[in-house]
Amino acid sequence: MTPSRERGLAALLCAAGAGLALLAAGRPWATVRARDAITPFAQDLTGRDLGGAAGALGWAALAGLAALFATRGRMRAGVGVLLALFGAGIAYASATAVQRAGVLAAAGEKSALLRMGGDLAITVRPWWIVSLAGGVLLVAAGAVTVARGARWPGMSARYDRAAGAPGKARAGDAAPAASAEPAGTEPGGEAGTATPRPAVAAGDDPSALWKSLDRGEDPTAAEERRP
């Protein structure tokens, strides 16, 4: 497998893992029912209600996906370590969030009726498994990045090569400037022959008046000599 494909595989694993964690965070992970209450009552708890750690780590993993392309060398290996840690954290938070004690504590914070109920039944939904699977994918993405990321191309390599091309073009453009005709000659003259340009009278060109004054000449004397 080429380095570019390996990088694409790691990016796909990272995106899939973070996406699963974020998707599952908003879904109900558990339902608590008060069966012996005067009025039967049920409360659904999402992944965010049960701590929200998995969803927060999912957003951090998405940031790591961008860093996966922007870094290279040891920096990229460090990103791989972070991705693996994010994945392990998501898996751990997902598994512990559906424990009975944690679910009852979260349900009691959301509803006073559940705190008053004596016989509470808990139903665990499979969305926490989806979040755990996302964590496992992130661990795999981090492991691949640490093991193989040093040989992957960087995002800026293409732009570094492109930046050298205009410099060569500018260096080549300087050569024709050296072959320009000497000052004071008219285009189209014979080779080796300098054709003087006609002088501009001070009255014809107002700027010539000031130029002659700068040279210390008297512009009125030129006007007197004109026929």
Side-chain angles (χ1 to χ4, degrees):
M1 184 179 292
T2 62
S4 297
R5 291 186 177 180
E6 290 178 355
R7 185 183 65 178
L9 175 61
L12 180 61
L13 291 174
C14 181
L20 289 178
L22 293 175
L23 174 65
R27 299 298 188 274
W29 287 18
T31 301
V32 180
R33 292 181 176 86
R35 294 180 296 188
D36 60 349
I38 298 175
T39 301
F41 182 78
Q43 179 70 52
D44 290 332
L45 299 173
T46 65
R48 297 187 181 95
D49 297 332
L50 296 174
L57 291 174
W59 286 112
L62 280 183
L65 174 62
L68 192 66
F69 290 91
T71 57
R72 61 174 65 183
R74 293 183 178 179
M75 292 293 294
R76 180 175 286 156
V79 172
V81 172
L82 288 177
L83 289 177
L85 291 177
F86 293 156
I90 290 173
Y92 177 78
S94 302
T96 58
V98 293
Q99 300 296 322
R100 181 178 178 84
V103 173
L104 291 178
E109 293 177 359
K110 293 197 66 175
S111 174
L113 293 176
L114 290 177
R115 287 197 299 267
M116 296 170 58
D119 185 12
L120 299 178
I122 298 176
T123 303
V124 178
R125 306 289 184 86
W127 281 106
W128 72 274
I129 302 177
V130 176
S131 179
L132 188 147
V136 172
L137 291 179
L138 283 173
V139 171
V144 173
T145 303
V146 172
R148 309 289 292 177
R151 59 194 295 265
W152 297 347
M155 183 178 63
S156 61
R158 177 180 58 185
Y159 299 101
D160 292 342
R161 291 193 299 268
K168 295 179 180 180
R170 286 193 297 269
D173 293 343
S179 62
E181 297 184 4
T185 62
E186 287 290 340
E190 296 181 0
T193 304
T195 305
R197 294 174 179 170
V200 179
D204 298 336
D205 187 3
S207 62
L209 174 64
W210 298 104
K211 293 179 181 179
S212 60
L213 289 175
D214 292 338
R215 292 193 300 268
E217 300 176 358
D218 185 5
T220 58
E223 290 292 337
E224 293 175 357
R225 289 196 301 269
R226 294 180 64 183

